[in-house]
């Protein structure tokens, strides 16, 4: 046996599998030509950043044509883990229609043949590959203590050398087998390091699908593969997992670009083909004069839960994120009105290499559009879902009489130019409040051009003639008929031509009635509102206003 083989046996006596065994357990996937395998690989901290949703959306779209999008839990740092994190992650994704086909499940189980999908359950797999690296002389144990590493750093500083564990500074690189054996026997903790053969003179070249060609100096560091507890570092786990799970495209934040030389070195040492990389820029926000990353600490809208709590329609959020993801998406949307966004031919290459700017006003506009073309039934269902969790008052109002609620939501819907009043489900209570006596607050703030006496005259004249059985034309004729006796004109054009001749026009009459009945100046179709309110309520409110 060579010394390397002896060392491997010494370090990993419990590992009896070989990489070939795992290659057989996790063979290349049998997928249609060109199908992509992507993954979302969060740490289970329980917090989902909007950037995570963004990346997952891209992952799931990329895997659409016969590929696989899976969820892998990167839980090698147990300190940051929260208990129901997987449930929260899956829930957070599902709220926006994103469902991984494979991977970790909320109940602790998993879907798919390439698991376990939780890194903490893959220790033997990592150690098997680590063992094989040791056998090949590509990895070795390092027994340096914290103090020794600090001392090394100080020495490098004095010598004007680059800091780090590499080359001749790597004290345990060539430790004799006897010494290793002795230290192991003494129970000294160690980490496993890569024996790097990189040279700073040489470059790695990666064709990133978003950033284009990336050239960086090769890695020269003998970086840590396994920590003292035998748990892998992110880098080592990334290489082993994405290889064995047969990931074709790694979509991740561009903060990982700095680690590319390390990753390429690892894929190379392990004899794996590297995946394609898709490094996504962070979502930015304007702040003062400049731009900065959307921050978990500073911006409530950085949390995915914010959108669920506010009741943003999932289609709206996804549509908005697509505008951030692909520069040609909005043109496509305009050219394909009414088409599901899943039909959009997404392309990595059309992603902006610099960070997209987050724009809440635009998100709101998109959501208003999205909601405006839904049926009343759809809106009702979404609202009920949302309200069950976040708004008991609204939920009670709507469940007391679903037909009435749907009739309210039907006003000005399904027409050529639907109204765009609502951006989020949390705005619905206010939007419908005047249809419910318990939520209605009578307000009567008259516009400047109407006097209190004038308003009073309009309301009492109208109360005297109002007939709940009028059809829409008759209803409007009756309102117009009020004008002349009160010194107003039914003809808006005429009023604009000769304003001095009139106290106002028919629009003012309906405004006053609208205010009395709804407490606001701007509402959907007043006739429809009055039909739904019904005679008793209409008369009561007219009288209260008087
Ligand atoms: N666990 C890593 C993170 O949350 C995953 C990065 C990756 O997608 O590779 O940042």
């Amino acid at each position: 046996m060579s010394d390397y083989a002896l060392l491997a046996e010494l370090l990993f006596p419990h590992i009896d599998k070989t990489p070939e065994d795992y290659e057989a357990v996790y063979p290349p996937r049998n997928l249609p030509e060109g199908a992509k395998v992507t993954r979302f690989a969060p740490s289970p901290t329980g917090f989902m950043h909007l950037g995570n949703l963004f990346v997952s959306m891209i992952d799931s779209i990329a895997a659409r044509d016969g590929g696989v999008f899976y969820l892998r839990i990167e839980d090698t740092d147990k300190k940051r883990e929260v208990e129901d994190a997987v449930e929260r992650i899956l829930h957070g994704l599902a709220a926006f229609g994103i469902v991984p086909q494979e991977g970790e499940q909320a109940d602790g189980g998993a879907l798919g043949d390439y698991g376990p999908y939780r890194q903490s359950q893959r220790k033997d797999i990592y150690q098997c590959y680590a063992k094989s690296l040791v056998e090949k002389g590509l990895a070795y144990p390092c027994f340096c203590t914290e103090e020794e590493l600090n001392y090394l750093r100080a020495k490098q500083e004095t010598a004007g050398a680059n800091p780090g564990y590499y080359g001749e500074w790597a004290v345990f690189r060539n430790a004799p087998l006897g010494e290793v054996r002795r230290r192991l026997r003494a129970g000294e903790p160690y980490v496993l390091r890569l024996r790097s053969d990189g040279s700073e003179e040489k470059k790695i070249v990666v064709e990133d699908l978003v950033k284009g060609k990336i050239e960086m100096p090769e890695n020269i560091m003998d970086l840590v593969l396994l920590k003292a507890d035998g748990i892998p570092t992110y880098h080592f786990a990334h290489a082993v997992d994405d290889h064995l799970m047969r990931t074709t495209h790694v979509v991740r934040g561009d903060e990982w670009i700095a680690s590319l030389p390390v990753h390429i070195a690892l894929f190379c040492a392990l004899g794996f083909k590297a995946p394609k990389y898709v490094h996504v820029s962070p979502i930015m926000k304007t702040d003062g004069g400049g731009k900065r990353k959307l921050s978990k600490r500073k911006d409530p809208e950085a949390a995915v839960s914010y959108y669920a709590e506010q009741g943003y329609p999932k289609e709206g959020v996804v549509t908005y994120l697509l505008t951030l993801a692909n520069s040609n998406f909005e043109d496509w949307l305009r050219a394909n009105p009414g088409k599901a966004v899943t039909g959009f031919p997404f392309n990595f290459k059309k992603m902006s290499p610099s960070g997209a700017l987050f724009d809440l006003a635009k998100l709101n506009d998109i959501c208003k559009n999205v909601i405006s073309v839904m049926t009343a039934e759809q809106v009702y269902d979404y609202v009920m879902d949302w309200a069950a969790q976040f708004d008991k008052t609204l939920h009670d109002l709507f469940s007391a009489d679903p037909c009435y609620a749907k009739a309210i939501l039907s006003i000005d819907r399904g027409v050529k130019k639907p109204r765009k009043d609502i951006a989020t489900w949390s705005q619905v209570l206010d939007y419908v409040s005047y249809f419910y006596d318990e939520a209605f607050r009578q307000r009567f703030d008259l516009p400047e051009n109407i006097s209190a006496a004038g308003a009073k005259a309009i309301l009492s004249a109208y109360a005297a003639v109002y007939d709940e059985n009028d059809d829409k034309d008759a209803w409007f004729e009756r309102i117009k008929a009020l004008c002349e006796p009160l010194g107003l004109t039914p003809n808006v054009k005429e009023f604009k031509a000769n304003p001095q001749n009139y106290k106002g026009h028919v629009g003012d009459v309906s405004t006053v009635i609208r205010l009395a009945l709804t407490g606001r100046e701007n509402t959907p179709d007043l006739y429809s509102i009055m039909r739904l309110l019904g005679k008793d309520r209409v008369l009561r409110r007219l009288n209260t206003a008087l």
Side-chain angles (χ1 to χ4, degrees), residues 444-452 455 507-508 511-512 515 521:
F444 210 53
D445 305 324
L446 288 168
E448 265 173 32
N449 60 324
I450 304 171
S451 69
D508 299 321
T511 297
V512 170
L515 270 169
E521 257 186 77

Side-chain angles (χ1 to χ4, degrees), residues 280-294:
V280 177
S281 317
I283 298 176
M284 309 293 282
K285 151 169 192 157
T286 43
D287 188 7
K291 281 205 281 181
R292 61 166 174 79
K293 282 193 212 174
L294 205 54

